[in-house]
Amino acid sequence: MSTEPYIPIETLCTYYKVETSFFQGLNDYGLIEITTIEKSPCIHQKQIKNLESIVRLHQDLHINFEGIDTVLNLLEKIQDLQNELVAAKNRLRVFED
């Protein structure tokens, strides 16, 4: 199995200046998924965008895991509502023409 799309937790700890326990807590709370590859805990690349948001919320705003989960859920609902609004506007355009 190729390990290219996976980033070791150790590397992320150095980059984001956080402890490994931070990532373990995120994993325990279900905010990220840690995969073990060759006895090294790693995170898939597709999670990095979400991880960066989580780290910013935690470091800049001092939000705990429960708060981060709430914020991410609200942002997802906002995105869903925006998509629904765009779809509704597109359907209304049919009647305007």
Side-chain angles (χ1 to χ4, degrees), residues 7-19 22-23 26 43 45 47-56 58-59:
I7 302 167
I9 295 288
E10 194 173 295
T11 303
L12 294 169
C13 288
T14 303
Y15 183 78
Y16 291 115
K17 298 177 179 68
V18 295
E19 299 291 324
F22 175 73
F23 290 102
L26 292 174
I43 293 178
Q45 285 178 347
Q47 296 185 75
I48 294 300
K49 181 179 177 185
N50 192 36
L51 180 62
E52 287 183 350
S53 298
I54 290 170
V55 170
R56 253 184 278 119
H58 182 71
Q59 289 180 338

Side-chain angles (χ1 to χ4, degrees), residues 33-67:
E33 183 180 332
I34 295 178
T35 304
T36 303
I37 298 176
E38 298 176 9
K39 298 182 182 180
S40 178
C42 301
I43 293 178
H44 197 277
Q45 285 178 347
K46 67 181 179 185
Q47 296 185 75
I48 294 300
K49 181 179 177 185
N50 192 36
L51 180 62
E52 287 183 350
S53 298
I54 290 170
V55 170
R56 253 184 278 119
L57 288 169
H58 182 71
Q59 289 180 338
D60 296 347
L61 301 176
H62 308 288
I63 298 176
N64 61 15
F65 296 147
E66 293 84 5

